[in-house]
Amino acid sequence: MTPQAQLPKVAVIGTGGTISSISADPLDVLDYPDFGRKGTVEEIVARTPEIARFAQCLPVGFREVGSTAIGPADWLALVQLIHETDAAHPDLAGYVILHGTATLEETAYFLSLALKTRRPVALVGAQRPASAVSADGPMNLVAAIRTVIDPAAREIGVVVVLNDEIQAAREVTKISSYRLNTFRTPDYGVLGQVDGDRVAFYRRGLRPHTADTVFDVSGLDALPRVDIAYAYAGADGVAVDAMVAAGARGMISAGLPPGIPPPLQRQALERAARAGVVVVQTSRGGAGRIARRRYLREQGMVAGDNLNAQKARVLLMLALTQTSDPEAVQRLFDTY
Ligand code: GLU
């Protein structure tokens, strides 16, 4: 076996989540968010000593919360923490971030757009708490470590590793509450798989990420407010008007597929756009691209490409740190 000191070094950052959750009952896979506790990153890493066969692990504490409590302020702090860790440890092979699955896809896409490291970053979660019979977290953690130290992961950006699958931060979404195969990449599929013999990569995303984006959040302590207007049969404009009144600078319309809100909601979005709120059209369908059809162009609205509503919100928050011109925002949506 390779001596520890010769193994690649990986920073493991703890934010909490199911992967860090500990319940008194080994069969509790339901009540732990409300009645269990979250372990520290040191505690969770120590439960999987097999990591030491692959890497030297540098545990870095950040948060011990469910990811339902992670938001934009945490994303900014996490970027800063990773940049500081990058500067302090130039010998790191990559990063693994323990994260709850609920908002994991949003944190992943934010990091993919805002981080300035070229080292690979894997977000890893679990569907069963660490205390559960057949907990999936330990093997997911090993898989994430093996992914970021793999030579094929060089400059791959931010990926999500669960259930032996590697998926792109920009594309992956959580689709099931309890199933272990909850993370899916609609239309395109996984980037690679983590098997017993090796990590097998098959493709990479083409959109620029991390050090190759225009976004620089250093020095920011907040992001512009962006809300999501969910479409449903008969939806009116009450929620959109209220979000604008609350100070939204951007609005994501999760329209009825193919990206059309019902009439009263649509009128409220037109009012918002006229008032200077940047409106981005996506679809609640969860897959497929929204093109910038004539109506969107004429209303000065932006087409959300193939991003789901929550990911379009992440990009729009970052876009608004640069511009509030819908044409310029459209170019950012066409690029990232
Ligand atoms: N899977 C959830 C998460 O995103 C669990 C919520 C919780 O533990 O509070 O962290």
Side-chain angles (χ1 to χ4, degrees):
M1 219 159 70
T2 321
Q4 261 281 294
Q6 287 170 27
L7 290 174
K9 194 190 280 184
V10 175
V12 180
I13 301 177
T15 74
T18 299
I19 193 167
S20 309
S21 293
I22 299 173
S23 169
D25 180 351
L27 291 183
D28 176 14
V29 289
L30 194 59
D31 293 319
Y32 65 89
D34 308 298
F35 300 102
R37 69 176 181 90
K38 305 281 186 260
T40 62
V41 63
E42 289 84 0
E43 189 179 353
I44 299 308
V45 163
R47 293 170 84 105
T48 309
E50 294 78 9
I51 291 171
R53 297 192 205 173
F54 300 98
Q56 304 176 64
C57 175
L58 173 73
V60 183
F62 177 66
R63 301 274 190 273
E64 287 152 26
V65 296
S67 76
T68 49
I70 299 272
D74 304 291
W75 299 339
L76 291 170
L78 189 53
V79 165
Q80 196 183 330
L81 175 69
I82 294 173
H83 288 167
E84 284 165 9
T85 310
D86 231 36
H89 300 276
D91 56 340
L92 280 178
Y95 294 88
V96 167
I97 303 174
L98 308 179
H99 200 289
T101 50
T103 58
L104 189 146
E105 65 187 89
E106 288 159 76
T107 301
Y109 189 40
F110 185 83
L111 295 178
S112 176
L113 291 169
L115 274 181
K116 295 300 165 210
T117 181
R118 293 209 179 263
R119 301 192 168 109
V121 177
L123 280 88
V124 60
Q127 287 287 79
R128 295 177 182 151
S131 48
V133 172
S134 289
D136 53 331
M139 196 58 117
N140 288 348
L141 175 54
V142 170
I145 300 261
R146 289 176 58 206
T147 298
V148 297
I149 64 173
D150 195 277
R154 222 175 140 257
E155 300 201 4
I156 200 159
V158 182
V159 296
V160 172
V161 179
L162 265 97
N163 201 39
D164 306 333
E165 293 174 325
I166 306 164
Q167 309 195 59
R170 182 182 181 278
E171 301 164 348
V172 70
T173 191
K174 182 177 180 183
I175 59 159
S176 170
S177 299
Y178 306 129
R179 299 292 76 82
L180 301 191
N181 61 344
T182 184
F183 280 94
R184 295 285 100 198
T185 294
D187 293 334
Y188 311 110
V190 303
L191 302 181
Q193 292 160 339
V194 185
D195 285 327
D197 59 339
R198 71 181 182 95
V199 178
F201 279 99
Y202 295 97
R203 66 179 192 92
R204 280 184 179 222
L206 291 177
R207 299 297 178 100
H209 57 73
T210 56
D212 294 324
T213 78
V214 294
F215 304 114
D216 177 6
V217 297
S218 57
L220 293 184
D221 53 14
L223 291 168
R225 179 180 178 124
V226 174
D227 290 302
I228 297 177
Y230 197 84
Y232 45 89
D236 64 18
V238 169
V240 170
D241 289 341
M243 293 188 281
V244 172
R249 289 188 44 212
M251 185 78 59
I252 306 297
S253 164
L256 302 167
I260 302 179
L264 293 176
Q265 192 179 56
R266 180 171 163 137
Q267 286 165 22
L269 289 163
E270 290 170 6
R271 281 196 295 280
R274 281 197 298 276
V277 175
V278 178
V279 176
V280 176
Q281 188 63 59
T282 67
S283 156
R284 74 174 196 187
R289 182 170 170 265
I290 299 298
R292 200 172 191 218
R293 61 186 201 280
R294 180 176 156 192
Y295 168 81
L296 295 177
R297 279 199 312 275
E298 288 185 359
Q299 293 293 331
M301 295 179 184
V302 174
D305 198 289
N306 63 348
L307 296 174
N308 65 27
Q310 59 271 29
K311 284 187 201 274
R313 174 176 175 261
V314 169
L315 177 53
L316 183 54
M317 282 191 286
L318 282 165
L320 287 168
T321 65
Q322 308 255 317
T323 177
S324 46
D325 168 18
E327 301 308 314
V329 173
Q330 182 66 64
R331 285 194 290 278
L332 293 171
F333 270 78
D334 292 343
T335 305
Y336 299 111

